[in-house]
């Protein structure tokens, strides 16, 4: 059904990685990360039948997506960037999934926004898997308590998310996130980007976030 050469190429690579891992293709959601790219770059993917997209800023999502959704109401929007608590209401208003739930204050703000709006986007708890000061995500040691809190607040906890350290092999970090998910009884794994999504698929990713390999490099 697709008619988009970059999408077709990525799809083929996902399918090959899934086969290698003995997984079915439909257990992996490809999130096309369209941050910084205009609607004109997104529309060909929608026209080719692709439906899952990622943005990292709430304001940019609000600028681009309402118009795109008029034509493609079944498009699903994933917010993948760090989220300020004061943006929780806007995030819940526009997103189908939020991949950066990483602290108590945000859990509280999201729960409040969900109760107020009746919308309940899937939530992924982000783990600071490489223990890097500049990155979002909760410390590994804090994950069990944060998950307990998210569940108690009735957030739809769909999985864990990570952004491993740059420029080193991501595989050990993906494997660690998968182990944490198993230990904590969480199903989803949002991991893998343009440079390493095949590795992520072989290690159990359920959601891969691919930007530059689909849209070209960001300016
Ligand atoms: C930008 C971004 C991506 C996509 O990165 P590419 O290397 O362009 O595929 C994935 N995840 C997050 C959290 C991002 O901010």
């Amino acid at each position: 059904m697709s008619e988009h050469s970059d999408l077709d190429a990525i799809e083929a690579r996902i399918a090959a990685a899934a086969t290698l891992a003995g997984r079915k293709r439909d257990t992996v959601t490809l999130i096309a990360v369209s941050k910084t790219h205009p609607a004109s770059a997104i529309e060909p993917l929608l026209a080719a039948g692709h439906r899952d997209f990622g943005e990292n800023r709430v304001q940019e999502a609000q600028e681009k997506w309402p118009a795109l959704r008029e034509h493609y109401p079944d498009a699903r929007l994933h917010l993948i960037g760090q989220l300020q608590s004061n943006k929780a209401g806007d995030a819940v208003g526009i997103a189908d999934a939020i991949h950066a739930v990483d602290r108590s204050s945000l859990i509280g703000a999201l729960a409040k926004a969900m109760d107020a709006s009746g919308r309940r986007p899937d939530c992924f708890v982000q783990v600071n898997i490489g223990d890097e000061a500049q990155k979002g995500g909760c410390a590994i040691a804090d994950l069990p308590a944060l998950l307990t809190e998210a569940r108690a607040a009735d957030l739809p906890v769909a999985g864990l998310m990570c952004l491993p350290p740059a420029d080193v092999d991501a595989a050990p970090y993906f494997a660690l996130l998968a182990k944490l998910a198993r230990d904590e009884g969480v199903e989803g794994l949002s991991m893998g980007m343009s440079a390493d999504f095949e590795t992520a698929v072989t290690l159990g990713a359920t959601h891969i976030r691919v930007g530059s390999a689909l849209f070209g490099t960001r300016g």
Side-chain angles (χ1 to χ4, degrees):
M1 97 165 175
S2 163
E3 274 181 44
H4 188 290
S5 58
D6 293 326
L7 178 62
D8 291 345
I10 298 293
E11 280 291 344
R13 289 169 59 188
I14 297 168
T19 301
L20 194 64
R23 303 181 59 195
K24 292 212 162 75
R25 167 64 190 91
D26 66 6
T27 61
V28 183
T29 298
L30 168 62
I31 300 171
V33 177
S34 50
K35 66 185 185 198
T36 77
H37 296 287
S40 57
I42 298 171
E43 260 165 352
L45 281 167
L46 285 161
H50 194 73
R51 287 297 176 267
D52 286 271
F53 292 84
E55 295 283 347
N56 66 338
R57 289 176 50 234
V58 174
Q59 192 188 333
E60 185 178 341
Q62 287 174 324
E63 285 163 9
K64 289 184 339 201
W65 281 92
L68 288 165
R69 274 179 164 155
E70 275 182 27
H71 296 279
Y72 300 97
D74 56 343
R76 285 178 295 273
L77 187 61
H78 300 252
L79 280 177
I80 60 174
Q82 282 191 44
L83 189 58
Q84 293 171 316
S85 295
N86 64 8
K87 295 276 174 63
D90 289 340
V92 166
I94 198 161
D96 298 288
I98 296 173
H99 291 242
V101 179
D102 65 355
R103 60 194 187 279
S104 288
S105 55
L106 183 57
I107 288 172
L110 288 170
K112 213 172 139 192
M114 288 187 199
D115 289 343
S117 67
R119 283 180 52 86
R120 308 199 83 76
D122 284 341
C123 291
F124 289 77
V125 174
Q126 184 179 354
V127 181
N128 189 348
I129 203 77
D131 194 21
E132 296 174 281
Q134 78 280 15
K135 288 232 173 104
C138 70
I140 290 174
D142 296 338
L143 177 63
L146 208 60
L147 281 169
T148 301
E149 211 176 309
R151 288 166 173 145
D154 216 15
L155 297 196
V157 175
L160 303 182
M161 179 272 209
C162 78
L163 201 56
D167 306 322
V168 295
D169 183 8
Y173 297 99
F174 293 157
L176 177 55
L177 195 74
K179 180 189 185 303
L180 292 170
R182 277 196 306 277
D183 290 350
E184 297 300 328
V186 172
E187 299 235 321
L189 283 172
S190 170
M191 59 187 197
M193 320 200 311
S194 291
D196 50 28
F197 66 86
E198 288 142 308
T199 304
V201 167
T202 61
L203 291 168
T206 61
H207 294 70
I208 56 176
R209 311 179 307 265
V210 177
S212 46
L214 273 172
F215 292 100
T217 49
R218 294 175 288 273

